[in-house]
Amino acid sequence: MIAIIDYGMGNLRSVQKGFERMGREAVVTRDPKTILDAGKVVLPGVGAFPDCMRNLEEYGLIDAVKQSIRSGKPFLGICLGLQLLFTESEEFGISKGLDIIKGRVIRFKIQDPTFKIPHMGWNSVSIKRRPPVFADVPDGSHVYFVHSFHVVPEDKSVIATTTNYGMDFVSSIWKDNILAVQFHPEKSQALGLSILKRFGEQKA
Amino acid sequence: MLTKRIIPCLDVKGGRVVKGVSFVNLIDAGDPVEIAKAYDEQGADELTFLDITASHEERGIILDVVRRTAEQVFMPLTVGGGIKVLDDIRNLLLAGADKVSINTTAVHDPEFIKQASLRFGSQCIVVAIDAKRVVAHDPGFKPPLAWADDPKYKNLFLSNALLLAPDASRPFWEVYTHGGRKPMGIDAVAWAKRMEEYGAGEILLTSMNQDGQKTGYDLELTRSVSEAVSIPVIASGGVGTLEHIYEGFTKGKADAALAASIFHFKEYTIRQAKEYLQERGVPVRL
């Protein structure tokens, strides 16, 4: 069973539907026990970084996230669910993150005004290291993005893909049992669903 | 490289697509879910539903349409029309919409855009602007200032930066609300900038002059707004040929192109549009 962590932000139903379409059972939950008992955990999220961290704290979910990752079971972060794993973000001043991946979350700083912020739409991923979950994702595939901030990991060896938007930025990371993506697999049509499918198939 | 988006738009009334769609033989051609699926298969980059339901009682119907569409289609879905309070947005997002498009309420109460973007995130707040060209120094033009005293609009007039005062320095466009029925005396370019400041994540820009004409987008309007803001701009109103879409991206500097009839009536498929653009050097997702 897949637990999709619900901390009151974003459209979690679309992630759940994506798994259901791929024949996987997924629950949207904010119950720490359900999260800890689940075979796989997804941290989704849209919205502002500090609000999301505050909600995770309020709902008492920070330990559940950290323990899930420590336990070694497959963990998928989506969009803000990628950014929250980092040490800190510069969204609305400096906000502390979960500090599971060392590094920062910074705003796009592109001089050329033709690069609009948010980075919104379909952009391609350049695969640096291929996690098993990306088995059906050819290099250069287009996936759906919508974000104004991007992650900068200290340890470059965690980078799975980069994407170009006025500069190369890190569009996904892969470290041990953690796969976290800046784009939205649940909005990336067949290709995105293939990622959810492969994630669902992983052995816990 | 970020690709340019092609977005088919469906007018939905009482749960049915109106204005007709005839590109595929469906048992029920008016079912928005079936049409959404067909566009999904053609490779549309996003989908927009415009709810033109008139009565408040029928508002719940669009939620069901969104819910059923989102069950079937895994791409971004924007829903516009009749959004008045934050709970309208919340209900649409919970039903499966990814973004909402707001027009009249943004003009009545600009603070609403601030609240909405703070609560739900800028990424899901699209401000729709219906704009009509104003002839500079038109002797017949009178900015409708009388209603500026209306307390309903008081927030808008903390400064007159938005007031339409056409001169010969550049072309001007006036913002209309209520589905294009009410001129507001507001400069569309200044309004777009204001909405960006208030937290809009995207602008859906419709030229009222060009809408339905099939003679191309108002490229000057599209470019003026696109260059004035740093958020993405969706061009809308006037597409009759693939060249019009190409021009919207190149001359109009749009980030996305919205079109209805050329896709609905099978004049072109989404794929044909994208191949046309790719051949001419516009980055698209194929």
Side-chain angles (χ1 to χ4, degrees):
Chain A
M1 205 259 299
I2 300 162
I4 300 165
I5 301 178
D6 172 18
Y7 50 104
M9 309 286 286
N11 177 11
L12 308 180
R13 177 75 188 116
S14 63
V15 180
Q16 185 183 29
K17 276 181 314 212
F19 281 117
E20 285 170 0
R21 170 58 70 92
M22 295 293 108
R24 294 281 151 181
E25 193 195 343
V27 294
V28 173
T29 180
R30 61 178 61 157
D31 171 40
K33 188 174 180 309
T34 309
I35 295 165
L36 291 172
D37 289 346
K40 303 174 189 83
V41 173
V42 180
L43 183 63
V46 289
F49 188 102
D51 291 348
C52 285
M53 273 308 287
R54 195 171 52 238
N55 283 9
L56 275 179
E57 241 166 88
E58 259 176 37
Y59 295 132
L61 292 169
I62 288 184
D63 272 352
V65 172
K66 288 187 170 171
Q67 277 188 53
S68 296
I69 289 173
R70 262 203 308 274
S71 74
K73 62 184 160 200
F75 183 94
L76 176 65
I78 297 174
C79 192
L80 207 62
L82 158 72
Q83 299 181 1
L84 291 168
L85 300 177
F86 279 69
T87 311
E88 61 182 22
S89 167
E90 62 175 33
E91 191 171 353
F92 298 109
I94 297 292
S95 310
K96 289 279 170 222
L98 295 168
D99 197 24
I100 291 161
I101 305 287
K102 298 286 175 204
R104 304 191 72 214
V105 183
I106 64 170
R107 196 177 163 83
F108 276 111
K109 296 175 190 80
I110 306 167
Q111 297 304 318
D112 182 346
T114 62
F115 287 93
K116 303 294 187 74
I117 306 295
H119 171 226
M120 184 187 284
W122 297 80
N123 203 336
S124 56
V125 289
S126 168
I127 297 182
K128 305 299 169 192
R129 290 158 61 238
R130 183 187 293 276
V133 172
F134 287 178
D136 306 315
V137 180
D139 193 27
S141 296
H142 285 98
V143 287
Y144 190 81
F145 289 88
V146 50
H147 61 123
S148 303
F149 292 75
H150 65 91
V151 299
V152 183
E154 277 174 22
D155 176 5
K156 304 299 175 207
S157 75
V158 303
I159 297 170
T161 66
T162 61
T163 293
N164 189 275
Y165 191 59
M167 51 166 284
D168 284 333
F169 73 91
V170 175
S171 49
S172 65
I173 61 129
W174 172 36
K175 187 189 179 194
D176 306 322
N177 55 322
I178 303 171
L179 177 69
V181 297
Q182 182 61 65
F183 52 87
H184 290 271
E186 78 282 12
K187 291 291 156 194
S188 298
Q189 294 178 341
L191 194 90
L193 292 181
S194 84
I195 293 173
L196 298 183
K197 176 172 180 277
R198 293 276 181 178
F199 178 79
E201 283 169 2
Q202 285 189 109
K203 292 279 170 278
Chain B
M1 189 181 215
L2 184 67
T3 56
K4 298 291 186 181
R5 287 171 281 156
I6 304 287
I7 308 175
C9 178
L10 298 167
D11 286 356
V12 180
K13 186 175 187 187
R16 316 285 297 163
V17 171
V18 293
K19 250 187 175 174
V21 177
S22 63
F23 66 86
V24 60
N25 289 326
L26 300 164
I27 299 166
D28 178 4
D31 182 2
V33 182
E34 291 301 316
I35 294 164
K37 273 166 73 176
Y39 279 131
D40 185 37
E41 281 154 23
Q42 284 186 22
D45 294 311
E46 295 186 21
L47 201 62
T48 293
F49 282 163
L50 194 58
D51 180 21
I52 55 170
T53 299
S55 74
H56 183 76
E57 294 71 46
E58 290 178 336
R59 286 289 302 163
I61 298 170
I62 190 73
L63 295 176
D64 181 54
V65 170
V66 170
R67 213 172 280 126
R68 290 189 295 121
T69 304
E71 291 290 334
Q72 304 274 346
V73 174
F74 294 89
M75 68 170 152
L77 175 65
T78 302
V79 184
I83 291 164
K84 289 192 175 63
V85 294
L86 290 174
D87 267 351
D88 292 337
I89 302 177
R90 184 181 146 76
N91 291 336
L92 284 166
L93 296 178
L94 284 175
D98 297 286
K99 312 182 209 179
V100 295
S101 157
I102 303 165
N103 182 340
T104 302
T105 304
V107 178
H108 281 181
D109 179 14
E111 292 289 325
F112 181 71
I113 297 302
K114 255 188 199 168
Q115 292 164 10
S117 61
L118 275 175
R119 170 130 173 232
F120 304 106
S122 289
Q123 84 290 334
C124 67
I125 306 300
V126 182
V127 169
I129 300 176
D130 290 344
K132 195 169 186 176
R133 194 175 272 262
V134 173
V135 179
H137 299 305
D138 176 354
F141 179 78
K142 289 184 191 67
L145 291 178
W147 58 264
D149 296 326
D150 187 329
K152 209 160 67 169
Y153 301 105
K154 65 179 188 309
N155 289 328
L156 208 52
F157 291 93
L158 298 175
S159 76
N160 355 323
L162 297 175
L163 289 186
L164 190 64
D167 57 42
S169 66
R170 63 170 176 89
F172 283 82
W173 295 267
E174 183 173 10
V175 172
Y176 279 64
T177 61
H178 297 84
R181 290 192 298 278
K182 290 194 184 177
M184 299 310 287
I186 297 170
D187 175 357
V189 176
W191 179 239
K193 282 200 243 185
R194 175 66 59 91
M195 288 294 92
E196 176 186 14
E197 284 164 31
Y198 276 41
E202 203 171 22
I203 301 286
L204 167 54
L205 181 65
T206 303
S207 160
M208 290 173 54
N209 305 80
Q210 293 304 100
D211 202 26
Q213 298 299 310
K214 309 200 87 174
T215 53
Y217 296 119
D218 183 335
L219 298 172
E220 218 172 1
L221 167 67
T222 310
R223 189 180 59 246
S224 299
V225 171
S226 192
E227 286 179 344
V229 298
S230 69
I231 53 179
V233 173
I234 306 166
S236 159
V239 170
T241 67
L242 298 182
E243 191 185 358
H244 294 151
I245 298 180
Y246 172 75
E247 286 177 338
F249 288 136
T250 51
K251 294 182 187 157
K253 303 197 170 174
D255 300 283
L258 187 117
S261 55
I262 71 157
F263 297 132
H264 295 345
F265 295 109
K266 214 182 178 177
E267 289 161 38
Y268 303 98
T269 63
I270 305 266
R271 186 164 181 92
Q272 281 172 326
K274 288 187 168 185
E275 282 168 352
Y276 177 93
L277 292 166
Q278 190 175 51
E279 281 165 20
R280 284 155 187 79
V282 175
V284 289
R285 179 181 66 111
L286 271 169

